[in-house]
Amino acid sequence: NRWECNANGVSSFTETDPNGAIFRSDGSLIMSYSDDACANRFSPDQIAAMRANLLDEHQDWLGNEAPLDEITTAVTLSSPIEGEEAQFNQVFLEWEAVPNATQYIVQISRLANFPGALTATFTAEEPGLLVQTLENNKTYYWRVMAYNNYHFCQSFSNYATFHTSNMVATNNAQSLANVRLFPTILRQGELLNLHFEDSSNAKIQFKIYNAIGGCVSQKSHERQESVKIETNLLASGIYFLQVRSGDREVTFKFVVQ
């Protein structure tokens, strides 16, 4: 165990050397087992040994790269928050980008205190993460910490909550059972493809809803084997495509990255 030092910077207890002399250990040396309140220096020989090791054994560790600036902005969570519903097997977490951050640590837990054994931890390089491993009909807490290769002791954001459910539900969907949507994870501007495997002359209407239920697009089409849907006006996030033909409908979920 590490030991404490007294007001003089030496061990609070005495020891005896092999010759029987009583002494107190110097607590100022970082390469000792004194606690952080004591240790504050390397000895000249320790400094020389470390420099020799670096210059002789690990010259590839040296470089002229300028350190990244410190991260001073806290992470702000965007979605989902305040208990929003999320598709249990495709939860897309979003937060605001943090200046000088190159990576993020994302934690998800069933408990607000994020205990280690009950917390899933992920890393992301962008301010968003798709999680496909959560259980249905559960409430989760999540939080994010930003860091870079030079500054990695920031605090986590305040936590937010969401509730998982199976949102890809259908209404009397047997009449549209042969409808497929692909891809379901796409880049902004990439086309959605709605493919019908049966034949019909009925018109179709579709609406696109964002994650909080707002309708962001709606159109009508003649029924064709394949219909292409533009996404260039959609920001990154989770969306739901509702397809209606007569009094029948089916809903798909997709993610714009």
Side-chain angles (χ1 to χ4, degrees), residues 87 89-90 165-170 240 250-253:
Q87 175 65 24
N89 57 355
Q90 286 193 320
S165 61
N166 189 1
M167 301 175 71
V168 186
T170 61
F240 298 91
V250 62
T251 301
F252 299 94
K253 173 179 174 292

Side-chain angles (χ1 to χ4, degrees), residues 80 86-93 129-131 134 162 164 238:
Q87 175 65 24
F88 77 98
N89 57 355
Q90 286 193 320
V91 178
F92 191 70
L93 306 175
L129 177 70
L130 180 65
V131 183
L134 303 182
F162 60 90
T164 58
I238 298 174

Side-chain angles (χ1 to χ4, degrees), residues 19-87:
N19 296 322
I22 295 175
F23 70 98
R24 294 178 185 269
S25 294
D26 183 354
S28 67
L29 294 171
I30 292 173
M31 288 185 176
S32 70
Y33 286 92
S34 62
D35 64 18
D36 288 346
C38 305
N40 57 52
R41 71 181 181 94
F42 295 108
S43 72
D45 283 347
Q46 290 169 346
I47 292 172
M50 288 187 288
R51 287 179 172 169
N53 180 264
L54 178 63
L55 294 173
D56 296 338
E57 303 292 336
H58 298 290
Q59 286 191 3
D60 56 313
W61 291 0
L62 298 172
N64 294 321
E65 179 180 286
L68 295 174
D69 290 337
E70 186 175 358
I71 296 172
T72 59
T73 304
V75 177
T76 300
L77 306 183
S78 301
S79 176
I81 56 176
E82 298 181 355
E84 290 179 14
E85 292 290 316
Q87 175 65 24

Side-chain angles (χ1 to χ4, degrees), residues 169-177 243-245 247-251:
T170 61
N171 176 20
N172 217 354
Q174 62 272 16
S175 63
L176 293 176
V243 182
R244 177 179 289 271
S245 180
D247 60 351
R248 316 288 181 152
E249 69 179 40
V250 62
T251 301

